[in-house]
Amino acid sequence: MAISRRAVLGGAGATLGGAIGASALGTVPAAAEAGPSAAALALSSGRCTDLRQGWRFALVNTSGADAEQPGDDDQGWRDVDLPHDWSIGLDPRRSAETTAGSGYLPGGLGWYVKTFTLPREAAGKRLSVEFDGVYMDAHVHFNGQEIGAHPYGYTGFALDLTDLAHTDGKTPNTLAVKVRNQVPSSRWYSGSGIYRDVRLVVTDPVHVVRHGVTVTTPGLTGGSGPATVRVETRAVSAERPVQAELTVTLKDATGRTVATGSTRADLDAEPVSEALELSVAKPRLWSTAEPHLYTAHVRLSVDGKTADETSARFGFRRFALDPDHGFSLNGEAMKLNGVNLHHDLGALGAAFHVDAARRQLEIMRDMGVNALRTSHNPPAPQVVDLCDEMGILLLVEAFDCWKTPKNTYDYGRFFEEHGVADIKEMVHAAKNSPAVVMWSIGNEIPDSTSEAGVGMAERLIEAVRSVDTTRALVIGTDKYRSVPADGSPQDRILRMLDGIGLNYNTAASMDALHKKYPDTFFFEAESSSSTSTRGVYDNPDQLNTGENYTPGRRGTSSYDNNLESWTMSGEYVLKKDRDREYFGGQFVWTGIDYIGEPTPYDDVYPVKSSFFGAVDTAGFPKDQFSLFRSQWRDEPMVHLLPMDWTGHRPKEEVRVWAYTNADSVELFLNGTSLGERRYDRKTTPYGKEYRETTEATGDDKTVTSGPYPGSYTSPNGSAGKLHLTWKVPFRPGRLVAVARRGGKEVARDTLRTAGEAAALRLTPDREKVTADGRSLVFVTAEVIDARGVLVPDADHALTFTVTGGRLLGLDNGQQESAENYRSDTRSAFHGKALAIVLADGSGGSGGALTVTARSEGLRSGSARVRVTGGGGGG
């Protein structure tokens, strides 16, 4: 099989005897019995067989010191299924093995082992193992021999097993993987282990190679006429030359055949590429509103017998990155309303679960997001699939550093040897996705300001274009806040690329760059970075409030007014993007909080997760979620902040804000109107209408002239805010915002004063679930008073039990917390907590999954989800 074996990477280090037992892992399954079992592996009817189940794992140490595989009788072994992240089950702690960037969770060195027998029908086949992601520095052994190593934690890789495999149906095969994560290896939480999917690929000697199908739609115009689909297939005959027939069939999402064709392929031991061009009469375009998908089915046959079959999903769409008019999709101008997301899934850590990723993306779509930047690494393949299905545009990014490291043990150690191969792997893995519109060669790269960095950029650009020439090539960068000098490394790298993703540029610096480089597409790869904590409010009239360092109360204000030296308010970045037709849009830093990088509490234990998200790690929206939703969605909405109408002193003046996309909002307290506030209607220089107040905002000290010095001022000469404001003397009761368009009510939001905490209310995210061992249920727990009102300051310890499933993790979104994510107890934070439950069929077919939460002094709450199907795994 045409798979490049990675060179074995040498690694010296002291070997520490002994294994870390289950006690160091928090709540984990009991240790497995000594000795591996050789389960019979049932091969799939297709070419890929799932290898996620039935592994044994031993965490040898949490330092990352190199160590040999523990003996079979070592008590540190335990049974695990993949994907798996061992770090997320450890207790957060301040030590030499942790950093704030790792969320105070250690990495270490672990071994994974799977023992299995292969049936006789595997004899004579080509066998390989494919990993979608191992973090990091993986060394793979098969039947006692090291067969390859892969250092980068975010790209997939494959290794050939054919020559070492036992295929007699009885002799065991043993696959062992050593994984080494030496902290610090990243600026954010990486997780540790085989955290993405693994599969066995079984083919005939005549087969399509890995990533061997490339689908393009050359010359697509977007009209109602026919479209050309070019399917290039790379195939091989590993044993002898053969003449094969290559057949390609195109099907739409309903399975209807829309085109088919065949050609001859003369195959030998070296891979050969053959292309077929097919015509589709009336293609349906892929868009963010209607993400229509097609599939190219590829079949290789020899002497009339099928030798191999595979498929690739694709879509019809065209896009443009216009330096003057911004981004367009299928001829329609649109802004990139994007977010950055790191790869962790909150309480699940890095271990990939498609339901958790889907939930994150659904929350982002609800905010109005139409684009995702995979910061700062290639994503799991299923994330690309989800974006294809949901209509979310993708900027796929390769690296956070090149040769010059940002951390002691990061990718800088491997870039020179592996950078080209890894970026090619990134592109191959997502090259057929209609969602992908840009490839990024890196983020905030120190080398990009040096002469040596120019050559590095050239190599990466050439590597990407050797695989795909249909997408734009960009970089995410903080190196262009001033205009670069002619001939400087920044100038030369910029001119090589199709676009530049700016990080935290002022409006004035963006305009200066556009003026010097009128042929370059500009967008913001990272915008805002305003920090906030759900339910925390401070000094709404102050642009930058600073932080509260009181233990237990460490948080930042949700009035969009906690800013670092490089950050900007959410309102500022929305306005500067809105006002510039040439600007392609933005990717907010970040859509969702992530573990690690807890700015502004950079080294304050136990503050362990970021404050940047519009949504917290539990998936609960903060107020900034509604700010972006009010600007990015047309569906009528209004949101009041503070979200707490309980924790105030009598007659205390509370500054109340409303985010809305309506014309006006009238505020009522206990039925009495407190007045209507409305936006002015304005128009950008390129004719786009928008709503905004008219007043000095005091949010841009670089503006020194004009009618609003010290405030962000639009090119049309206007300034203003994207929220409406009241000063309200506090009285308990009900605060209601009524939003109107054209004088008619279109939305309302209500806050109620809570009484004493009385009970728990549990709400699942779905009513039924399939017990397939992969489906997740997310259950929100709320502390409520006797009338069912959320108690906004409740911090009760909640203990969860599950029947018919398994508790995978608990979260509450609090950045300052030393609680173990795998514990069965979690404190409520501002009245809320989240339980993540796996439906594994333990309740029996046709039964129910029940989650119960208890807390001393409160009435217990429960949620019941109907279970269909049965049996675990799959």
Side-chain angles (χ1 to χ4, degrees):
M1 190 170 188
I3 300 172
S4 298
R5 294 196 181 188
R6 299 292 180 122
V8 176
L9 300 177
T15 300
L16 300 184
I20 303 298
S23 60
L25 293 164
T27 304
V28 298
E33 294 182 2
S37 59
L41 191 66
L43 298 183
S44 168
S45 58
R47 68 199 323 252
C48 296
T49 296
D50 183 11
L51 291 184
R52 292 177 296 187
Q53 290 187 298
W55 291 74
R56 303 172 74 235
F57 169 72
L59 179 58
V60 180
N61 61 57
T62 55
S63 67
D66 202 6
E68 297 299 316
Q69 180 179 330
D72 289 343
D73 58 350
D74 193 298
Q75 291 302 301
W77 289 107
R78 60 194 183 97
D79 294 333
V80 299
D81 290 337
L82 307 180
H84 177 249
D85 171 11
W86 77 68
S87 291
I88 199 66
L90 302 172
D91 290 328
R93 63 178 185 265
R94 182 193 287 276
S95 74
E97 299 171 353
T98 66
T99 66
S102 73
Y104 295 106
L105 294 168
L109 184 136
W111 280 86
Y112 294 85
V113 173
K114 181 176 177 63
T115 303
F116 55 93
T117 60
L118 287 167
R120 293 183 183 276
E121 55 261 35
K125 303 287 188 178
R126 308 301 295 182
L127 308 173
S128 63
V129 60
E130 289 187 353
F131 296 86
D132 286 342
V134 180
Y135 200 91
M136 60 180 302
D137 206 358
H139 290 249
V140 183
H141 303 250
F142 187 59
N143 290 338
Q145 293 191 32
E146 182 164 347
I147 58 172
H150 189 81
Y152 194 28
Y154 295 111
T155 46
F157 62 101
L159 296 167
D160 195 354
L161 309 179
T162 306
D163 295 340
L164 298 175
H166 304 301
T167 56
D168 58 8
K170 56 184 179 180
T171 306
N173 293 279
T174 301
L175 185 62
V177 185
K178 181 175 71 171
V179 185
R180 189 181 188 193
N181 178 17
Q182 301 171 86
V183 174
S185 65
S186 175
R187 294 187 296 127
W188 56 89
Y189 176 78
S190 64
S192 306
I194 307 177
Y195 71 104
R196 292 178 182 168
D197 285 356
V198 184
R199 67 193 66 83
L200 178 71
V201 179
V202 181
T203 68
D204 281 350
V206 176
H207 60 271
V208 178
V209 303
R210 184 167 182 264
H211 299 318
V213 179
T214 303
V215 185
T216 55
T217 55
L220 181 67
T221 62
S224 59
T228 298
V229 179
R230 188 176 193 272
V231 181
E232 183 176 340
T233 304
R234 193 164 175 82
V236 69
S237 177
E239 295 180 352
R240 60 182 177 84
V242 300
Q243 187 177 95
E245 183 178 36
L246 171 66
T247 302
V248 175
T249 303
L250 306 182
K251 295 187 177 184
D252 65 14
T254 69
R256 181 176 65 93
T257 297
V258 296
T260 188
S262 297
T263 189
R264 192 180 75 177
D266 294 320
L267 304 180
D268 206 334
E270 289 298 317
V272 172
S273 293
E274 295 288 349
L276 276 168
E277 290 196 353
L278 306 175
S279 180
V280 176
K282 294 181 179 180
R284 303 185 72 184
L285 298 184
W286 185 96
S287 69
T288 55
E290 297 184 46
H292 296 293
L293 293 168
Y294 291 78
T295 303
H297 295 270
V298 176
R299 184 176 75 251
L300 277 176
S301 56
V302 179
D303 297 329
K305 182 180 179 181
T306 298
D308 192 21
E309 290 183 290
T310 188
S311 63
R313 201 162 60 169
F314 71 100
F316 295 94
R317 58 95 180 94
R318 71 190 195 283
F319 65 90
L321 279 60
D322 190 297
D324 291 322
H325 304 291
F327 181 82
S328 65
L329 182 65
N330 300 327
E332 179 182 348
M334 62 189 300
K335 289 285 189 179
L336 295 169
N337 297 334
V339 291
N340 289 270
L341 291 182
H342 275 316
H343 72 295
D344 81 73
L345 298 169
L348 300 175
F352 186 82
H353 288 262
V354 70
D355 281 357
R358 182 184 292 108
R359 176 177 181 257
Q360 286 192 339
L361 292 175
E362 286 173 344
I363 292 169
M364 293 294 93
R365 282 299 301 264
D366 191 38
M367 191 170 83
V369 167
N370 63 16
L372 167 66
R373 178 186 181 218
T374 66
S375 52
H376 301 291
N377 45 260
Q382 296 97 324
V383 171
V384 179
D385 292 341
L386 287 169
C387 289
D388 285 343
E389 294 162 8
M390 299 172 70
I392 299 174
L393 297 160
L394 271 170
L395 188 169
V396 177
E397 191 155 69
F399 310 114
D400 191 44
C401 69
W402 296 344
K403 185 176 181 179
T404 300
K406 296 179 180 178
N407 287 282
T408 306
Y409 301 109
D410 68 12
Y411 188 69
R413 296 179 292 153
F414 310 117
F415 175 79
E416 284 288 271
E417 184 178 355
H418 295 277
V420 166
D422 281 326
I423 203 166
K424 284 185 177 181
E425 170 68 22
M426 175 191 82
V427 177
H428 273 301
K431 64 187 175 184
N432 296 317
S433 163
V436 177
V437 293
M438 287 184 272
W439 306 115
S440 170
I441 62 174
N443 171 70
E444 296 184 351
I445 302 295
D447 296 305
S448 66
T449 62
S450 69
E451 189 64 32
V454 177
M456 296 177 199
E458 286 176 332
R459 291 195 297 275
L460 294 177
I461 291 168
E462 181 182 358
V464 172
R465 289 180 174 153
S466 72
V467 179
D468 176 46
T469 60
T470 68
R471 274 86 164 192
L473 265 168
V474 303
I475 192 170
T477 178
D478 58 350
K479 313 303 182 188
Y480 294 87
R481 292 178 188 166
S482 60
V483 175
D486 290 343
S488 66
Q490 293 101 309
D491 173 73
R492 290 153 64 195
I493 289 174
L494 181 150
R495 295 182 188 278
M496 297 178 196
L497 296 165
D498 301 303
I500 296 291
L502 303 170
N503 290 6
Y504 314 113
N505 281 53
T506 64
S509 68
M510 286 176 6
D511 290 340
L513 286 166
H514 176 58
K515 182 177 180 180
K516 178 167 183 178
Y517 300 100
D519 298 324
T520 297
F521 174 79
F522 287 102
F523 65 99
E524 196 150 22
E526 292 181 23
S527 69
S528 184
S529 274
S530 176
T531 60
S532 62
T533 298
R534 178 174 55 83
V536 172
Y537 303 93
D538 187 24
N539 291 306
D541 294 324
Q542 187 173 328
L543 181 62
N544 197 0
T545 59
E547 294 80 49
N548 186 344
Y549 282 85
T550 305
R553 299 182 63 84
R554 298 179 178 116
T556 62
S557 174
S558 286
Y559 277 116
D560 191 25
N561 63 341
N562 189 263
L563 309 174
E564 295 299 300
S565 60
W566 69 90
T567 65
M568 302 162 182
S569 70
E571 293 201 11
Y572 180 96
V573 300
L574 283 162
K575 291 185 290 188
K576 74 176 183 181
D577 177 21
R578 173 201 68 201
D579 289 337
R580 288 159 176 81
E581 183 182 13
Y582 74 82
F583 207 60
Q586 62 182 306
F587 293 86
V588 177
W589 192 267
T590 56
I592 299 174
D593 280 343
Y594 51 93
I595 303 172
E597 205 170 31
T599 304
Y601 299 93
D602 290 322
D603 192 23
V604 182
Y605 180 84
V607 187
K608 69 179 189 314
S609 64
S610 81
F611 292 74
F612 298 120
V615 173
D616 66 27
T617 55
F620 300 143
K622 307 182 199 177
D623 295 284
Q624 194 161 95
F625 173 94
S626 293
L627 166 63
F628 284 96
R629 192 168 186 258
S630 72
Q631 302 302 305
W632 285 352
R633 291 198 62 183
D634 292 328
E635 181 183 352
M637 57 78 62
V638 61
H639 171 80
L640 284 172
L641 61 155
M643 291 189 282
D644 174 1
W645 198 246
T646 300
H648 308 281
R649 300 184 305 274
K651 299 184 180 180
E652 172 190 353
E653 187 176 81
V654 181
R655 184 59 62 92
V656 175
W657 289 11
Y659 291 135
T660 184
N661 53 15
D663 301 327
S664 66
V665 175
E666 186 172 7
L667 191 66
F668 296 87
L669 179 58
N670 298 328
T672 300
S673 176
L674 302 181
E676 185 179 61
R677 305 286 187 268
R678 64 175 51 249
Y679 291 120
D680 295 325
R681 284 190 171 271
K682 304 178 183 181
T683 305
T684 67
Y686 61 98
K688 178 180 178 179
E689 290 190 354
Y690 63 94
R691 300 176 183 88
E692 184 182 79
T693 67
T694 300
E695 58 191 305
T697 56
D699 56 357
D700 190 349
K701 303 307 178 185
T702 68
V703 177
T704 57
S705 61
Y708 301 102
S711 298
Y712 170 82
T713 307
S714 298
N716 63 12
S718 173
K721 297 178 180 178
L722 302 181
H723 66 269
L724 304 171
T725 307
W726 295 259
K727 294 180 180 179
V728 182
F730 175 73
R731 294 197 308 274
R734 179 178 298 193
L735 189 70
V736 179
V738 177
R740 298 186 177 96
R741 286 181 181 172
K744 298 179 65 174
E745 179 180 340
V746 292
R748 67 170 52 201
D749 190 22
T750 301
L751 300 176
R752 296 176 176 85
T753 303
E756 294 295 320
L760 299 176
R761 178 171 60 212
L762 270 59
T763 307
D765 68 332
R766 61 181 72 186
E767 296 180 352
K768 64 179 180 179
V769 66
T770 302
D772 56 3
R774 294 288 165 186
S775 297
L776 302 181
V777 178
F778 296 84
V779 180
T780 298
E782 297 173 294
V783 181
I784 57 176
D785 68 8
R787 298 169 298 144
V789 178
L790 176 75
V791 181
D793 62 348
D795 60 359
H796 300 67
L798 312 182
T799 300
F800 292 81
T801 57
V802 177
T803 59
R806 182 157 56 93
L807 183 65
L808 290 189
L810 299 175
D811 199 357
N812 60 12
Q814 184 177 15
Q815 293 106 342
E816 181 189 13
S817 173
E819 294 175 286
N820 189 299
Y821 284 112
R822 294 292 174 86
S823 171
D824 62 0
T825 299
R826 192 77 175 184
S827 299
F829 182 59
H830 290 291
K832 290 186 175 185
L834 179 79
I836 307 172
V837 178
L838 177 72
D840 62 2
S842 58
S845 178
L849 185 155
T850 303
V851 181
T852 301
R854 296 178 173 83
S855 184
E856 185 175 355
L858 302 180
R859 188 170 70 251
S860 300
S862 65
R864 184 180 174 89
V865 178
R866 186 161 60 91
V867 174
T868 61

